[in-house]
Amino acid sequence: MRVFGSSGVRGVVNDDLTPGDATDVAAAAGTVWAAGSVDRVAVGRDTRRTGPMLVDSVASGLASVGVSVDRLGIVPTPGLQAYAEREAVPGLMVTASHNPPEYNGIKLVGADGVELPRERLEAIESRLLDEAPHRVGWDETGTGRRVDGAGRAYVDELLAAVDREAVADAGLTVAVDPGHGAGAVTSPDFFRRLGCRVKTIHAQPDGHFPGRDPEPVEGNLGDLRRFVRATGADLGVAHDGDADRAIFVDERGDHVEGGAALAALAADAIGENDTVVSAVNASQRLVDVVTAADAELSLTPIGSTYIVSRIRDLLATGESVPVAGEGNGGVLFPDYRIARDGAYTAARFCELLARRGEPASELAARYDDYVNVRRDVAYDSERQREAMLDAIERAAEESAADLDTTDGYRLDYGDGWALARPSGTEPVVRVYAEARSADRAADLADRLHDAVSGIRVD
């Protein structure tokens, strides 16, 4: 079992992550929470086939250490976070986000609705690995209750936080693709109540994800692109499995690069002396926007946990952080909540379209000077993983590029960059590259991809 990677615990169910593992993680978290006088935890899940089984497992683990459980059912991760903040209780989300259907996982949230910081996760990990959970007597075990309406309350909060009148007046038609994930129970209703005409595709909750893979990358969104063209929609919105991301398709049915969408949202939100937080694979588009605004860019390792922790640190010192996030569609607006929220991100993008009175293609065109490439190379064992990382290190040392090792190996060539790092959620090494032309981006990606793709170990 992988313990607390870049976005919680994840693995292939009944292989890397068993019901017993889920019970143990929940008991460890519950023990740490109970030491702080917590006696109730909210538990939600996405639509995965294994979700009900693992919810039962984590509920048992929490009850065994004296913590009662509010079962929210299927709800987006930001919906669980909204409930946790509203009720002032910690939360546990059973989700594997964008990973394939055979995966599931656990994400932990504080009573403020924010993912737990690294130090709290380390305390729980220490309890899990080095100490036994504090099991209580039979007459002190926690109870459980079903909570209805968490999704509706979340949508109500979203509507109160956005410019509903401006979006409604624009008369936008939005094609919503929740990808059969948790967003299917909230996003179509949200956009209708926002005043949009809503068309849906892959909007039936289904843990097998029959329509498309849960990750909303360009290669998985062909149906949405065709659907936008067929329906004449002004915008297509795609979520991942737990709906904390939003990726867009413009009115022509063309993919909007996630880095371009983040740059557009950041340009609208930031001013002089503000700070934007992003990961080490941040697009040059975002760098350009931050530079033009005379703001600062703070880079972290890849993963929402690191971004959230950096935002908190900066806010604690009085810095202004209007926006943060990554080019994968996971965007945070800390003035709203320090959480990635696909529906809120999409609403902010709709606000941009409404205020500017221009189509999504024109808005995105301002930030289309760069081409991005991502390639994944799978490994079968830790030995192969280490051999691949050794090969990447050698390739990095032999290159003439500037090297950044914040997370993996990022090579900056002046006219483009490439990054190779092991995924925190899947057994793959990811290779990213960006340049002003497709050929140059592909060439930069090939240099690192070729270094690892042929690695084999006995």
Side-chain angles (χ1 to χ4, degrees), residues 192-235:
R192 289 188 185 100
R193 293 177 63 189
L194 191 57
C196 300
R197 292 184 294 271
V198 176
K199 309 292 183 179
T200 61
I201 184 172
H202 305 144
Q204 305 78 27
D206 190 326
H208 292 92
F209 302 97
R212 68 164 172 87
D213 187 88
E215 187 170 18
V217 294
E218 182 176 5
N220 293 333
L221 300 182
D223 286 350
L224 178 60
R225 294 197 299 274
R226 288 186 288 271
F227 188 66
V228 167
R229 288 193 289 267
T231 59
D234 298 295
L235 184 70

Side-chain angles (χ1 to χ4, degrees), residues 68-87:
S68 295
V69 175
D70 289 357
R71 291 181 179 238
L72 307 188
I74 295 173
V75 66
T77 291
L80 170 82
Q81 292 175 288
Y83 182 89
E85 182 183 29
R86 187 168 59 251
E87 296 292 319

Side-chain angles (χ1 to χ4, degrees), residues 77-125:
T77 291
L80 170 82
Q81 292 175 288
Y83 182 89
E85 182 183 29
R86 187 168 59 251
E87 296 292 319
V89 297
L92 186 155
M93 184 73 184
V94 176
T95 179
S97 187
H98 66 279
N99 290 128
E102 63 270 24
Y103 281 74
N104 216 324
I106 295 170
K107 188 178 294 186
L108 302 177
V109 174
D112 56 358
V114 181
E115 287 183 44
L116 292 186
R118 198 73 226 167
E119 59 270 18
R120 292 289 285 169
L121 291 176
E122 288 172 356
I124 293 170
E125 190 169 287

